[in-house]
Amino acid sequence: MSRYICDFLVNLSPAHVRSPLKKLLADCGLEIVYDLEDYLMAREIPGRVSFARLVTVEVLIDVTRATQSAVNLSFVIKNEELPLNFNNHCRQVFDLLRLTIAHHDDWQPLDLQSNVPFAGSTTTAATFSATMN
């Protein structure tokens, strides 16, 4: 299973983050599957890649530590594809999501750090990390 994780602190209030977040996911070719107050799940539309390569994106909206002007978003991007090479389909969707966030007009990330992804069974504790399990 391929899995990539990233956290963003964005300068939007919790009340105004949902609409830009849904637009961001749609811009990446993902459709919303679950929509709760503090959680969104989106997936790739079937038909373009094999079933095992379909990517699911989970977004956790941390409303407990949010302020009036900032909220933390945790993204988990994953699929069932074995990460046999660095540039697998899940990694491509992960990179597309990061690039779309970095260039999105509706919000500006306040904290965006990255680490080099690694293959292994543990997750890094950095603000932004990528893992392949």
Side-chain angles (χ1 to χ4, degrees):
M1 168 188 270
S2 295
R3 176 174 294 172
Y4 299 90
I5 301 166
C6 60
D7 291 331
F8 292 98
L9 181 65
V10 295
N11 60 349
L12 290 172
S13 70
H16 296 104
V17 74
R18 300 181 68 68
S19 179
L21 182 56
K22 289 178 183 180
K23 182 180 182 319
L24 172 94
L25 294 169
D27 290 347
C28 292
L30 303 164
E31 64 180 356
I32 304 297
V33 178
Y34 294 109
D35 184 358
L36 303 173
E37 181 181 339
D38 60 350
Y39 175 82
L40 283 174
M41 178 187 276
R43 68 173 180 171
E44 275 189 293
I45 299 168
R48 293 184 289 186
V49 296
S50 66
F51 184 75
R53 295 177 67 196
L54 286 174
V55 172
T56 301
V57 177
E58 297 181 48
V59 185
L60 303 169
I61 304 167
D62 189 358
V63 294
T64 60
R65 296 185 303 174
T67 65
Q68 293 289 57
S69 61
V71 64
N72 187 46
L73 303 176
S74 297
F75 290 83
V76 178
I77 299 93
K78 61 186 178 181
N79 71 0
E80 296 299 321
E81 176 183 23
L82 292 174
L84 299 176
N85 60 34
F86 178 76
N87 192 22
N88 58 62
H89 180 68
C90 191
R91 175 63 192 223
Q92 292 169 358
V93 173
F94 173 70
D95 288 340
L96 173 64
L97 183 68
R98 283 189 319 159
L99 186 63
T100 305
I101 289 171
H103 292 91
H104 207 273
D105 293 336
D106 291 339
W107 59 1
Q108 295 297 316
L110 298 177
D111 188 19
L112 175 60
Q113 300 175 357
S114 65
N115 287 339
V116 177
F118 64 97
S121 60
T122 60
T123 305
T124 65
T127 300
F128 172 86
S129 64
T131 63
M132 295 183 284
N133 295 335

